[in-house]
């Protein structure tokens, strides 16, 4: 038995039966981290001493408390989520030495449920990117092929899960940052409905889009983690005061009577044949399990990239104004005037992509351009949301590819921002509409790279996405394969 490749539910069973201890599992995973990190580079910080201490304390206390579903489970957290006393960099030089004085609500909930924080995972700077190459520190590599990107921006979390350098992880998704890296790393990634999970203590990128969610080895774990982190939080005014169902409850329900919509706009030029084949095959599998598949249309899909890359940078330009060298983060010491200090702190602290977004966003919000760009983008966003609402009158869930290609080579798109942005084409619409979406493994390319299937559901119908995903997973074995490390 390899302790590191367990899922949450498997590990909990072993702990409950006394077949292993939290200390043993946590120690084993740190050994694996030491062995693999020189190649994978999924983590930015580790909290080993603290984690081992917590593990021992769980072993002493026992795991029986049902309010602690994660007791003794070692987890990784994306470095955009504030962790009290543990460095939180957002993958940026400007926060390279930032140690938050408080926990994000998500971090707190994981801790209160008994989760053990192994460390903080690598990401594109301020979650801006699709490849992890925008990390100010170093790129994470794809465990399936070390010359490929793991996806982004939660690439560190996805790679850590895929490489068994943690039992499960959390990431954040603004335009695909959970789903796309999960797809490229062959694991499960779930972006809940906007407002389902608190954003308090999640460093803001684009506040009308940001959402936290699980990255796990299987669908059951995604449901389990969502159970822990979902729910209203009075500290986040956009979190929704809606009851949180037990997301594991209807996993076992079959697909008879479920209609899945296949949006024709997601099968267009640019989608490579191998990925299309795997997704079409997955749809056949769903049909064989009792689902009815129908073609639907989301006519405004083609405007998603353009709208997102106005709205997200606009919000980012405003959110990132707080990094002024005064309140926290990097401060230039040489500037002679206040203005010079601001300018130098920001010029030296931010990387190229972040600066590009600040400029794009500032431009789109400036007088004279606001109506032409920002307002227009918001109008497109409304139309895209309506597309989804219309489609969901004909079906309960939508099934699509996650990304047009499997993981691309490191360096391939890094100097071509537009190509990088276009790779988000299938994940951005759900973010703009605020609906939940899960990415699950559905195949491999001839080169052995994972391919993901995206399942989208109506607002707050996470259960439907999980149900479709679980049925697929239980009848296939893609999620059981491990990278050859
Ligand atoms: N790749 C998209 C971007 O660069 C999405 C990132 C995210 O979801 N955080 O903005």
């Amino acid at each position: 038995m390899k302790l590191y490749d367990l899922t949450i539910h498997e590990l909990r069973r072993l702990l409950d039966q006394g077949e292993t201890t939290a200390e043993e599992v946590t120690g084993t995973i740190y050994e694996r981290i030491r062995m693999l990190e020189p190649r994978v580079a999924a983590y930015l910080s580790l909290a080993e001493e603290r984690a081992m201490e917590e593990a021992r304390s769980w072993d002493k206390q026992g795991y029986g408390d049902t309010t602690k579903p994660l007791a003794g489970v070692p987890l990784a957290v994306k470095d955009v989520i504030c962790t009290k006393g543990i460095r939180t960099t957002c993958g940026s030089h400007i926060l390279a030495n930032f140690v938050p004085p408080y926990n994000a609500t998500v971090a707190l909930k994981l801790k209160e449920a008994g989760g053990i924080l192994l460390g903080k995972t690598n990401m594109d700077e301020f979650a801006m990117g699709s490849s992890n190459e925008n990390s100010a520190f170093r790129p994470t590599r794809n465990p399936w092929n070390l010359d490929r990107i793991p996806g982004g921006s939660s690439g560190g979390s996805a790679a850590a899960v895929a490489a068994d350098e943690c039992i499960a992880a959390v990431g954040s998704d603004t335009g695909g940052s959970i789903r796309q890296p999960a797809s490229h790393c062959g694991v499960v990634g779930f972006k809940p409905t906007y407002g389902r999970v608190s954003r308090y203590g999640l460093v803001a990128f684009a506040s009308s889009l940001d959402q936290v969610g699980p990255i796990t080895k299987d669908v059951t774990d995604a449901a389990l983690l969502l159970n822990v982190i979902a729910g209203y939080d009075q500290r986040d005014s956009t979190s929704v005061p809606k009851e949180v169902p037990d997301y594991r409850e209807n996993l076992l329900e079959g697909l008879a009577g479920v209609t899945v919509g296949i949006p024709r706009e997601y099968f267009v030029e640019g989608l490579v044949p191998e990925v299309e084949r795997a997704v079409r095959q997955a749809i056949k599998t769903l049909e064989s399990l009792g689902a009815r598949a129908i073609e639907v249309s989301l006519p405004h899909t083609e405007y998603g990239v353009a709208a997102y890359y106005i709205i997200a940078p606009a919000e980012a330009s405003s959110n990132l104004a707080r990094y002024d060298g005064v309140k926290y983060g990097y401060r230039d010491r040489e500037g002679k005037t206040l203005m010079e200090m601001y300018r130098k702190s920001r010029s030296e602290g931010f990387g190229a992509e972040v600066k590009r977004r600040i400029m794009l966003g500032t431009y789109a919000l400036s007088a004279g351009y606001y109506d032409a760009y920002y307002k227009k983008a918001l109008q497109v966003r409304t139309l895209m949301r309506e597309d989804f609402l219309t489609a969901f009158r004909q079906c309960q869930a939508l099934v699509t590819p996650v990304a047009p290609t499997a993981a691309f080579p490191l360096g391939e798109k890094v100097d071509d921002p537009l190509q990088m942005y276009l790779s988000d084409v299938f994940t951005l619409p759900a973010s703009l509409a605020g609906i939940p979406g899960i990415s699950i493994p559905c195949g491999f390319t001839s080169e052995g790279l994972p391919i993901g299937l995206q399942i989208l559901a109506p607002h707050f119908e996470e259960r439907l996405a999980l149900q479709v995903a679980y049925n697929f997973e239980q009848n296939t074995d893609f999620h059981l394969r491990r990278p050859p490390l």
Side-chain angles (χ1 to χ4, degrees):
M1 181 177 59
K2 288 183 262 149
L3 286 174
Y4 50 77
D5 83 0
L6 299 171
T7 62
I8 300 176
H9 56 98
E10 289 165 350
L11 171 57
R12 284 303 318 243
R13 201 177 46 239
L14 293 186
L15 288 171
D16 288 337
Q17 293 169 348
E19 289 186 26
T20 184
T21 63
E23 183 177 10
E24 187 183 19
V25 177
T26 310
T28 306
I29 293 179
Y30 275 117
E31 262 168 47
R32 187 159 172 91
I33 289 175
R34 270 189 290 278
M35 181 179 90
L36 294 179
E37 275 303 272
R39 282 180 283 158
V40 178
Y43 285 93
L44 290 175
S45 313
L46 294 171
E48 184 163 0
E49 220 172 284
R50 196 160 148 160
M52 291 307 295
E53 213 170 281
E54 281 175 37
R56 283 188 285 271
S57 132
W58 282 114
D59 289 334
K60 235 181 257 144
Q61 272 174 68
Y63 325 98
D65 184 343
T66 52
T67 66
K68 311 249 175 263
L70 300 177
V73 179
L75 304 170
V77 169
K78 185 179 181 182
D79 214 19
V80 68
I81 293 170
C82 284
T83 43
K84 188 174 175 177
I86 298 174
R87 191 171 80 120
T88 299
T89 68
C90 281
S92 180
H93 279 311
I94 214 158
L95 289 177
N97 300 310
F98 176 59
V99 179
Y102 71 106
N103 270 319
T105 297
V106 167
L108 193 65
K109 284 187 163 190
L110 293 174
K111 195 177 163 63
E112 283 175 355
I116 297 171
L117 175 62
L118 292 164
K120 306 293 294 291
T121 51
N122 199 6
M123 54 183 284
D124 288 294
E125 185 173 8
F126 284 103
M128 297 173 190
S130 314
S131 70
N132 241 262
E133 292 163 298
N134 295 337
S135 165
F137 303 102
R138 58 180 182 274
T140 295
R141 289 165 182 271
N142 191 314
W144 291 90
N145 178 335
L146 298 168
D147 297 325
R148 303 276 169 151
I149 56 107
S153 63
S154 313
S157 286
V161 174
D164 289 316
E165 292 184 53
C166 62
I167 298 294
V170 291
S172 68
D173 189 311
T174 302
S177 276
I178 288 176
R179 291 161 285 157
Q180 183 256 24
S183 166
H184 288 340
C185 291
V187 296
V188 174
F190 194 15
K191 180 197 92 75
T193 308
Y194 179 75
R196 181 76 287 190
V197 177
S198 169
R199 294 181 300 113
Y200 176 74
L202 168 72
V203 178
F205 162 14
S207 307
S208 76
L209 296 154
D210 298 341
Q211 188 59 193
V212 180
I215 299 181
T216 56
K217 293 175 192 175
D218 69 8
V219 175
T220 305
D221 275 8
L224 223 146
L225 264 191
L226 188 59
N227 277 347
V228 171
I229 61 175
Y232 174 67
D233 177 10
Q234 58 177 13
R235 288 169 152 155
D236 173 5
S237 60
T238 61
S239 75
V240 176
K242 229 175 160 32
E243 205 190 318
V244 180
D246 181 347
Y247 289 110
R248 273 171 317 173
E249 223 159 52
N250 65 326
L251 289 185
L252 295 175
E253 276 172 40
L255 294 182
V258 174
T259 304
V260 294
I262 316 303
R264 94 167 65 92
E265 293 79 5
Y266 282 62
F267 295 83
V268 286
E269 219 193 289
L271 175 64
V272 305
E274 260 188 322
V275 174
E276 170 159 8
R277 227 175 295 131
V279 172
R280 297 244 184 239
Q281 186 54 45
I283 295 165
K284 285 210 187 90
T285 304
L286 291 174
E287 286 181 305
S288 75
L289 296 171
R292 189 167 72 98
I294 59 165
E295 192 182 78
V296 297
S297 174
L298 299 165
H300 298 93
T301 302
E302 63 171 306
Y303 306 111
V305 174
Y308 173 88
Y309 279 98
I310 293 291
I311 294 169
E315 294 183 17
S317 70
S318 162
N319 274 326
L320 271 56
R322 71 189 60 163
Y323 304 99
D324 56 3
V326 177
K327 295 188 277 291
Y328 36 65
Y330 174 75
R331 176 182 198 145
D332 161 74
R333 300 273 162 200
E334 249 109 75
K336 302 256 173 326
T337 64
L338 181 65
M339 281 312 285
E340 217 180 308
M341 187 280 288
Y342 284 159
R343 188 160 39 78
K344 286 188 155 212
S345 298
R346 289 170 67 83
S347 306
E348 291 158 22
F350 289 137
E353 181 62 24
V354 173
K355 289 179 192 164
R356 183 178 299 122
R357 305 261 181 130
I358 292 173
M359 287 189 278
L360 274 170
T362 306
Y363 183 81
L365 289 175
S366 58
Y369 297 104
Y370 181 97
D371 281 355
Y373 294 107
Y374 185 66
K375 195 172 151 205
K376 204 34 134 219
L378 290 185
Q379 288 166 335
V380 170
R381 182 178 191 174
T382 302
L383 292 173
M384 293 184 72
R385 187 186 150 93
E386 280 165 7
D387 281 356
F388 280 111
L389 299 183
T390 306
F392 286 132
R393 281 201 277 274
Q394 303 161 61
C395 60
Q396 280 102 334
L398 294 162
V399 176
T400 80
V402 180
T405 67
F408 44 88
L410 274 136
E412 186 184 272
K413 298 187 203 284
V414 77
D415 297 321
D416 190 344
L418 190 60
Q419 282 308 315
M420 190 75 91
Y421 299 170
L422 285 169
S423 69
D424 299 335
V425 58
F426 300 141
T427 50
L428 300 177
S431 295
L432 288 165
I435 58 172
I438 192 166
S439 167
I440 56 170
C442 79
F444 287 85
T445 66
S446 57
E447 292 177 300
L449 294 168
I451 299 171
L453 182 73
Q454 177 171 243
I455 301 158
L456 304 173
H459 295 100
F460 296 101
E461 295 294 342
E462 279 83 6
R463 277 182 299 178
L464 274 170
L466 286 164
Q467 184 183 330
V468 175
Y470 184 80
N471 275 279
F472 181 81
E473 178 188 272
Q474 292 306 302
N475 289 283
T476 53
D477 61 5
F478 305 112
H479 67 294
L480 298 176
R481 297 201 206 161
R482 291 289 185 270
L485 279 164

